[in-house]
Amino acid sequence: MAHPKVTSITQPQQILNAHMDAAKATIDVYTDLPFYKSLTSYWCNNNQTDSAMLEVYLSVSNDFSLTNKEHLQINASVFDLTKIKRLNFYDEQHTLIKTIKVMPSAL
């Protein structure tokens, strides 16, 4: 059985919001995807020149079950979320799609 092709989000309006919880070391990302797509995975990394920014890549695929998964919780335990002020979302070519300002939350 062939697996659906995985791509990245490329439209800024498809990323609605994000919420960080430093106590739980999580980032919740909310999207608005077409009914036939679902979030499948993520990749997150510190920005090399700006310690207040995290780089986030979201992968989506066609979802023939029409589950339409639009929320993803990122395990961010390797990052100090109290210092993060911005989440930059990129596509697979490392093109900036959207920046979301977030409030650094204290533990």
Side-chain angles (χ1 to χ4, degrees):
M1 178 179 203
H3 295 285
K5 181 180 178 185
V6 176
T7 60
S8 58
I9 289 179
T10 58
Q11 302 298 317
Q13 64 272 19
Q14 291 180 328
I15 303 169
L16 296 178
N17 202 356
H19 172 74
M20 291 189 324
D21 186 333
K24 293 180 183 176
T26 59
I27 301 170
D28 288 289
V29 179
Y30 301 92
T31 63
D32 183 22
L33 299 172
F35 71 93
Y36 56 89
K37 293 209 179 262
S38 282
L39 289 166
T40 55
S41 63
Y42 68 88
W43 183 77
C44 195
N45 196 27
N46 282 320
N47 183 282
Q48 297 298 313
T49 58
D50 186 350
S51 63
M53 180 193 318
L54 281 181
E55 298 176 351
V56 182
Y57 302 81
L58 300 175
S59 297
V60 297
S61 65
N62 288 342
D63 181 1
F64 299 111
S65 70
L66 303 181
T67 304
N68 193 224
K69 182 178 177 186
E70 297 185 297
H71 167 251
L72 186 70
Q73 188 171 73
I74 296 172
N75 176 350
S77 59
V78 297
F79 305 109
D80 183 356
L81 296 184
T82 61
K83 295 181 181 179
I84 302 302
K85 296 179 183 172
R86 288 180 315 287
L87 300 173
N88 273 7
F89 291 87
Y90 293 92
D91 69 8
E92 55 202 15
Q93 281 78 39
H94 199 72
T95 302
L96 180 63
I97 302 302
K98 186 171 190 169
T99 298
I100 295 179
K101 292 182 181 180
V102 290
M103 296 295 295
S105 53
L107 293 173

